[in-house]
Amino acid sequence: MTARLLDGNAIASAIRDEVRPRIAAFTARAGRAPGLGIVLVGDDPASHVYVRNKTRSGMEVGLHVDLHQLPAATSLDEVLALVRRLNRSETHDGILVQSPLPPALGDEAERVVFDTIDPAKDVDGFSPGNVGRLVQKRETLAACTPAGIMEMLDRSGIPVAGARAVVIGRSDIVGKPMALMLMHRDATVTVCHSKTKDLAGVAASADILVAAIGRACFVTRDFVKPGAAVVDVGMNRIDDRARVEAIFPEGSKRRQQFEKNGSVLVGDVHPEVAEIAGALTPVPGGVGPLTIAMLMKNTLTAAERRAGGAG
Ligand code: NAP
């Protein structure tokens, strides 16, 4: 079997096509575009790439994107003051503080910052109020990555109700909300983590397997039930030649990319899984574009709700 590749770029493009006219209608009604304030602190190169993509995508669909770049030496108080200012702003409907914050801000910094964002503007869905509403299956701004995965499953015709779903990873931003969303859609969900016994055996019981681990090519064919839908959330850059050569055959496109760039981006799922899965998300071009599309959708939703539920 060769897995059907689930094209995240195409699905993200469809979602953007749906939000664009709604954004235009909001803009016509309100006399201003929905506003997204992005806060980027420090020099993390991956964060700069993510923020650039979010900014570009937001402007392309018609949002007003307002990027606040702060130096790594910024204090937590200064970050909080900016967040409070964006909370008070009439023209900012969504606020996103790019994670991770610089380690110098302290272990609790992200939690304190996310606690400070007005839940009505929390387009990442990380604030405790919005997480609580998700737990209770109430209307909320939900975390973009798992929300995007649900869109992908639905739009790809993968049945969720009654399915056995296994989520590997229990982070606040992916694993936990993913498990909740699958459960709310009537999947029977198991959450695995670094202490799970017989991880491959548990994973191989899944009709829907979501890997959100952060370990390159960790999920091999023995983790996968033949025909399962496998969602690869991982984004891992590898620059070790021996590893790249062990994963990708000579002459393959990925090997050529490695020779050109000195590294390749891979997921948590080994490419050999394509031989056994029924459906598989590629990396890149799978979950990543959906995360950004859902951020656009959440910003529009936040704007519409703040304006009184229009739309
Ligand atoms: P995280 O906070 O580091 O959580 C990783 C989870 O994986 C933890 O729950 C951890 O278990 C589990 N884990 C680690 N090693 C394991 C092992 N050997 N066996 C079983 N479980 C193991 O990571 P995250 O923020 O959820 O992100 C996960 C990956 O997704 C990363 O590669 C990240 O870059 C990527 N990501 C992609 C997108 C996107 O838009 N495509 C968005 C967000 C994240 P414990 O809890 O026991 O430590």
Side-chain angles (χ1 to χ4, degrees):
M1 174 183 291
T2 302
R4 171 165 66 114
L5 278 188
L6 304 178
D7 184 347
N9 283 316
I11 297 171
S13 168
I15 293 169
R16 288 196 305 273
D17 286 349
E18 289 162 16
V19 299
R20 213 177 276 112
R22 282 174 56 196
I23 289 174
F26 176 95
T27 305
R29 267 196 317 274
R32 66 168 182 88
L36 172 63
I38 300 182
V39 179
L40 173 60
V41 189
D43 312 311
D44 181 66
S47 292
H48 277 258
V49 173
Y50 296 146
V51 164
R52 196 163 54 235
N53 290 340
K54 290 168 185 176
T55 304
R56 190 183 300 145
S57 188
M59 287 163 60
E60 190 272 326
V61 292
L63 299 178
H64 172 68
V65 184
D66 180 25
L67 174 59
H68 298 260
Q69 265 181 267
L70 304 176
T74 306
S75 70
L76 181 56
D77 281 345
E78 287 170 305
V79 178
L80 293 175
L82 173 57
V83 169
R84 289 194 188 101
R85 187 156 62 76
L86 295 173
N87 280 345
R88 287 191 301 272
S89 163
E90 283 302 317
T91 54
H92 291 85
D93 302 287
I95 302 170
L96 179 150
V97 178
Q98 183 63 41
S99 170
L101 291 170
L105 289 180
D107 291 345
E108 287 299 305
E110 281 195 4
R111 178 157 287 182
V112 175
V113 168
F114 294 143
D115 282 359
T116 304
I117 296 173
D118 178 351
K121 298 188 177 187
D122 168 34
V123 285
D124 257 340
F126 295 163
S127 69
N130 283 332
V131 173
R133 294 179 72 86
L134 174 64
V135 171
Q136 294 181 339
K137 205 181 170 186
R138 293 160 69 182
E139 201 170 73
T140 186
L141 293 168
C144 296
T145 299
I149 291 169
M150 295 309 296
E151 290 277 350
M152 172 176 266
L153 295 173
D154 287 343
R155 290 172 193 242
S156 305
I158 292 167
V160 177
R164 184 172 285 270
V166 172
V167 179
I168 312 180
R170 54 177 166 181
S171 70
D172 289 343
I173 64 170
V174 188
K176 282 183 207 164
M178 182 80 260
L180 286 163
M181 287 179 204
L182 288 163
M183 183 178 72
H184 291 332
R185 291 284 306 282
D186 299 325
T188 301
V189 184
T190 303
V191 180
C192 300
H193 45 75
S194 63
K195 307 292 186 294
T196 299
K197 289 192 177 135
D198 185 23
L199 180 61
V202 176
S205 70
D207 304 308
I208 298 171
L209 176 62
V210 180
I213 312 164
R215 287 176 183 255
C217 303
F218 181 87
V219 172
T220 47
R221 57 184 305 143
D222 49 321
F223 284 65
V224 179
K225 177 158 96 176
V230 180
V231 178
D232 189 355
V233 184
M235 298 221 280
N236 314 288
R237 192 157 282 287
I238 47 176
D239 53 14
D240 176 40
R241 173 172 292 276
R243 284 199 80 192
V244 174
E245 288 180 357
I247 297 166
F248 298 108
E250 197 173 352
S252 66
K253 211 172 126 198
R254 306 309 295 278
R255 278 280 279 275
Q256 287 164 11
Q257 280 172 357
F258 174 73
E259 296 304 338
K260 188 166 163 238
N261 305 325
S263 67
V264 277
L265 184 69
V266 300
D268 290 342
V269 177
H270 195 289
E272 69 183 18
V273 165
E275 293 160 23
I276 184 169
L280 175 64
T281 64
V283 176
V287 173
L290 284 168
T291 299
I292 298 184
M294 295 312 286
L295 174 67
M296 309 297 113
K297 196 170 176 182
N298 272 357
T299 304
L300 169 64
T301 301
E304 288 175 344
R305 287 190 192 151
R306 290 184 65 245

